[in-house]
Amino acid sequence: PVQGSNMIFRNSLFTLRRFSTDSRHFDLVVLGSGPAGQKCAIAAAKLRKKVAIVDKGSLLGGVCTHTGTLPSKTMREAIMYFSGHKLHSFYGKAYTPKADFHVSDLTYRVDRVVESEAQIIADQLKRNDIHVFSGFGKFENDHTVIVDDTVRLTGDKFMISVGTRPSHREGIPCDGKKIFDSDQILCRDLEPFKDLIVVGAGVIGIEYASMFSSLPGVRATVIDGREKLLPFIDR
């Protein structure tokens, strides 16, 4: 997850519910609070159903908000701004971009957008009286979920919308220092670099290669075994 996102709930008016020895029954229990989980939970709540959402840590909003679409697109817009690409069309080639900006300039903007979006999601769930449980949920049986081995939730229906995570190959250490996966590349501690090798020319790989190659002095190389990049795109 994006560094610094833990501050979201310390300042939030929305308090996550935690019970040491509690058992509650819901009409619907949703595992995962990404777009699918949010929409399902809110729709059910508007039909007067008692709804709970379970998600781990401070990741309210899911992958989309914390490591996927929202931060990557925010990073792209920040890079386009700092590199001057956004302003060349207006000022022309004579425009000189900021030369001394740091990676922290980019990640600061990402953190603020993620924090704001997570707060909006928290407020939406609160307005619809949806119970949110922070922790890792696992099924005990067909109608019971245990959250962090302390909270027992029973439900008539369950929705599993837990999102995705990058695939790691054994023997290739994604240490977040020299070798990154697509989540780690957005971290606050990213050090400046001049050369970037992207292994895999899918949508995410091409997106990040294009973004970082727009930064002054950065060269990106894409490695892929296919004959064509993005073969499913219309040409």
Side-chain angles (χ1 to χ4, degrees):
V2 176
Q3 296 287 330
S5 60
N6 288 332
M7 72 178 70
I8 295 169
F9 298 105
R10 289 200 293 270
N11 299 324
S12 174
L13 296 176
F14 182 67
T15 304
L16 300 181
R17 295 166 171 82
R18 280 189 175 274
F19 303 91
S20 57
T21 55
D22 192 21
S23 179
R24 290 195 167 194
H25 184 79
F26 295 89
D27 297 310
L28 173 67
V29 177
V30 179
L31 301 180
S33 60
Q38 295 169 40
K39 302 302 185 293
C40 178
I42 292 174
K46 290 184 181 299
L47 294 175
R48 301 182 182 279
K49 302 298 182 181
K50 187 178 180 182
V51 183
I53 279 185
V54 179
D55 212 336
K56 58 184 179 181
S58 58
L59 295 182
L60 196 62
V63 170
C64 177
T65 299
H66 292 274
T67 60
T69 303
L70 186 65
S72 67
K73 300 305 179 289
T74 304
M75 176 73 83
R76 175 188 177 276
E77 291 302 305
I79 288 175
M80 295 291 283
Y81 173 80
F82 282 114
S83 65
H85 281 261
K86 279 277 187 183
L87 302 175
H88 280 155
S89 60
F90 184 80
Y91 292 106
K93 294 183 178 180
Y95 174 78
T96 302
K98 181 181 177 182
D100 59 346
F101 73 89
H102 190 267
V103 173
S104 61
D105 293 324
L106 306 177
T107 56
Y108 176 84
R109 177 60 180 164
V110 171
D111 287 350
R112 300 292 76 75
V113 172
V114 168
E115 180 180 347
S116 176
E117 181 65 17
Q119 182 64 65
I120 290 171
I121 294 169
D123 291 341
Q124 287 178 330
L125 298 179
K126 182 181 180 181
R127 287 200 307 271
N128 286 277
D129 197 28
I130 295 170
H131 300 252
V132 177
F133 294 86
S134 176
F136 186 84
K138 61 181 179 181
F139 280 94
E140 184 180 58
N141 55 50
D142 291 350
H143 290 279
T144 306
V145 165
I146 303 295
V147 182
D148 282 351
D149 297 321
T150 58
V151 182
R152 176 174 282 99
L153 307 178
T154 58
D156 297 329
K157 302 289 184 181
F158 293 84
M159 177 178 179
I160 302 174
S161 55
V162 294
T164 62
R165 61 185 177 186
S167 176
H168 290 178
R169 180 168 295 184
E170 187 177 353
I172 302 178
C174 291
D175 56 11
K177 297 178 181 179
K178 291 292 184 181
I179 302 176
F180 301 84
D181 62 28
S182 57
D183 289 353
Q184 295 167 334
I185 199 70
L186 293 169
C187 72
R188 173 183 291 276
D189 298 326
L190 182 66
E191 294 294 328
F193 55 85
K194 295 297 183 182
D195 289 283
L196 174 69
I197 297 175
V198 179
V199 180
V203 172
I204 295 175
I206 292 297
E207 178 181 41
Y208 283 117
S210 301
M211 285 163 47
F212 286 108
S213 65
S214 298
L215 293 174
V218 175
R219 180 179 62 181
T221 302
V222 176
I223 300 175
D224 193 85
R226 290 167 289 192
E227 293 183 0
K228 294 183 179 180
L229 301 181
L230 305 177
F232 55 87
I233 299 294
D234 291 341
R235 301 178 187 279

